[in-house]
Amino acid sequence: MSDSEQSTVSAPSAAPAPSTGPVRPKRTVPPPRHPTHSVDRAFLDLERRRPEVRWDAGGIAYLSGPPPSLADLRAYVAFRLGELPLLTSRVEGGRRSRWQPAADFAVDRHVHEVVADGPAARDAALHTALNAPFAPGASWGVWLVHGHEPDAYALCYRFLHSCQDGSAAAMTFRAMLGEGEPSARPLPGRKGLTGAPRRVGAALALATTSMARTFAVRGHRPGTAFTPSGERRLWRGRVPVDTLRRIGAGRGGSAHDAHLAALAGALSAWSARAGVPLPRVTAVLPVDARRAEEEQTWGNRCFALPIDLPTGPAPGRPDGSRDEEAPLRRLDRVMATTRKLRGATWRQAVQDLVRFMPDRPTAWYLRRVLSPRVTNVMATSMPLADKGSLGETQVTGTALLPLLVPGHLFGVGLSFFGDWAEVSFVADRALPLGELLPELWEQAVGELEESAKRG
């Protein structure tokens, strides 16, 4: 890369390319020298302890229209970074570490391209972006993937989890490509310390229960079903978002409940086909714990909860026919666990716990809950936006790239974009029949829908 192609945020010429569309007003952002959070420091601790592990997550936006040049994309990203000061900062300091502006920040170290060698090489190019290392000292990167079609391209955004959580990354998506409301996440009102004794009790109860679950006997975990190759792969599926909402609402639940029930059904079918026994599957669910006054753009404010998925084989009827009510029973079992997660008391407890939990317990708990001895699937979901664009090109689809923890079967992400609920599975290339997972999930959603109609 020649020096003449470099573009930095401080350069006076850093402005949107002519085709980037109208300029949106910048949102209010916190000042520099923003303090790190205990969850940020916990992920930094994981990076130091396990430097061989990829501790990154992210997402992909698929766009229709001619791709921009790399130089134009860098100029566009540099312009948008004014709304996202964390992305031009780094962690400095010891126990009182803070996010501080990086004096040597340069866009060209963060924005790259991968050119596919024709239509058949699209997936190979995407996987190159998925597995590419970050530049030295960089905590995030954007890869422009094109060459597979003249009027289609993709943008792959990846970040170290010590830099952002999913909610902050969704804010990045909306700042770069999204339109409409900046946030779709549920938030409690500003309550101060109202009801402090009760809130302290609820937070302590949540902490005790969550930590105890990391010690609970989880049952037999299957041995390694494959030898990891070290290369990640992405597989996608989608259904209309209204389908998931109808299924969940019909039982008094949510679209996310329907997703988890379909995931359990898909895992049961995958286990039978792949020959991988799954006596127990426990997913780790990241939960956004930001308070009303906290910015989405800075670091981590999340809590991780383990939840058992009902993946056992669906029993047949005495006459040998298929039990058509099994999908709804899976949904009811999921909802029995998630029902209290939607309550205001529990959500407030999560926020209080994340706000006040000290560094050492936070780091210890994160190591425990991500251990394959406790959980074996990462399952995350995120509302992104109603629509998105870059210049005259439109976002047509999205895929979350959840954290793939060593020893886990895979990470699964559900993104809500426009009229679609899009599921993505990220797994090691060696996972047996991993490419079937999206199709099996779509089939499981269809079975849920049919069972709900009959019910």
Side-chain angles (χ1 to χ4, degrees):
M1 195 69 61
S2 66
D3 292 339
S4 63
E5 291 183 288
Q6 292 189 9
S7 175
T8 64
V9 170
S10 60
S13 60
S19 62
T20 57
V23 175
R24 286 169 282 179
K26 292 185 178 181
R27 304 181 184 94
T28 302
V29 295
R33 302 179 62 83
H34 201 78
T36 58
H37 189 269
S38 60
V39 184
D40 300 340
R41 296 188 288 273
F43 273 108
L44 285 168
D45 179 66
L46 284 172
E47 291 174 16
R48 286 190 292 266
R49 286 171 177 263
R50 302 285 303 277
E52 78 284 1
V53 173
R54 295 174 181 267
W55 295 107
D56 63 284
I60 297 177
Y62 299 84
L63 297 98
S64 64
S69 68
L70 179 60
D72 281 353
L73 180 62
R74 285 174 170 167
Y76 177 86
V77 170
F79 176 73
R80 292 298 179 203
L81 287 176
E83 302 176 35
L84 301 163
L86 176 135
L87 297 186
T88 57
S89 304
R90 65 164 58 101
V91 175
E92 294 183 359
R95 296 183 63 183
R96 297 180 178 273
S97 57
R98 290 177 173 270
W99 290 100
Q100 301 192 45
D104 60 347
F105 178 84
V107 169
D108 72 315
R109 294 173 54 244
H110 295 77
V111 182
H112 319 278
E113 71 176 341
V114 179
V115 182
D117 186 15
R122 186 196 70 164
D123 289 347
L126 283 169
H127 291 142
T128 296
L130 180 61
N131 290 285
F134 292 115
S139 58
W140 62 274
V142 172
W143 283 262
L144 168 64
V145 181
H146 64 100
H148 52 283
E149 292 181 36
D151 290 318
Y153 66 103
L155 293 178
C156 176
Y157 171 63
R158 291 171 36 223
F159 56 90
L160 291 177
H161 218 303
S162 57
C163 169
Q164 287 186 319
D165 58 20
S167 181
M171 186 67 158
T172 300
F173 176 94
R174 287 186 284 269
M176 294 284 185
L177 301 173
E179 301 174 17
E181 292 299 319
S183 172
R185 62 198 173 101
L187 286 172
R190 296 172 180 266
K191 296 182 180 179
L193 292 177
T194 302
R198 175 185 249 177
R199 285 171 54 181
V200 169
L204 289 175
L206 174 64
T208 301
T209 301
S210 300
M211 291 185 177
R213 291 206 64 197
T214 69
F215 285 110
V217 177
R218 312 305 302 163
H220 173 68
R221 289 292 188 205
T224 302
F226 59 95
T227 301
S229 67
E231 293 185 24
R232 294 177 291 189
R233 289 291 183 267
L234 168 68
W235 301 289
R236 302 170 60 215
R238 57 163 38 177
V239 298
V241 67
D242 285 345
T243 299
L244 289 184
R245 288 173 178 160
R246 281 195 305 270
I247 294 169
R251 310 292 281 193
S254 67
H256 189 253
D257 293 329
H259 158 62
L260 291 177
L263 177 61
L267 276 169
S268 180
W270 174 82
S271 173
R273 292 200 191 185
V276 178
L278 295 177
R280 188 182 296 269
V281 174
T282 306
V284 54
L285 301 184
V287 179
D288 182 19
R290 281 172 173 76
R291 304 189 307 278
E293 70 274 15
E294 285 183 317
E295 270 284 345
Q296 284 177 280
T297 53
W298 288 95
N300 290 264
R301 299 293 189 279
C302 61
F303 193 67
L305 288 171
I307 175 173
D308 291 332
L309 297 179
T311 55
R317 291 173 174 163
D319 61 2
S321 63
R322 181 169 166 269
D323 183 359
E324 296 176 341
E325 300 303 315
L328 286 183
R329 283 201 294 274
R330 283 198 178 100
L331 177 57
D332 289 340
R333 289 178 61 186
V334 167
M335 288 176 52
T337 302
T338 63
R339 185 172 288 111
K340 71 175 183 179
L341 309 188
R342 294 188 291 271
T345 299
W346 180 89
R347 188 168 291 278
Q348 186 67 65
V350 169
Q351 293 180 334
D352 289 338
L353 186 60
V354 169
R355 181 179 183 182
F356 296 111
M357 198 167 177
D359 280 8
R360 287 187 179 181
T362 300
W364 176 88
Y365 176 74
L366 192 62
R367 291 195 302 270
R368 292 284 303 180
V369 80
L370 293 181
S371 168
R373 290 175 292 182
V374 177
T375 59
N376 51 0
V377 168
M378 169 68 72
T380 187
S381 65
M382 186 58 55
L384 290 178
D386 290 332
K387 54 186 177 179
S389 62
L390 197 164
E392 299 301 318
T393 64
Q394 301 297 314
V395 179
T396 60
T398 59
L400 298 186
L401 303 175
L403 186 66
L404 181 58
V405 179
H408 280 199
L409 290 169
F410 52 77
V412 57
L414 183 71
S415 58
F416 297 96
F417 179 77
D419 296 330
W420 294 99
E422 310 211 35
V423 71
S424 56
F425 291 85
V426 174
D428 191 274
R429 175 171 55 84
L431 180 73
L433 301 182
E435 68 278 6
L436 295 182
L437 286 166
E439 178 184 352
L440 294 173
W441 179 84
E442 290 175 351
Q443 291 175 1
V445 171
E447 292 171 358
L448 269 170
E449 186 177 25
E450 289 301 316
S451 295
K453 290 177 180 178
R454 285 190 298 268

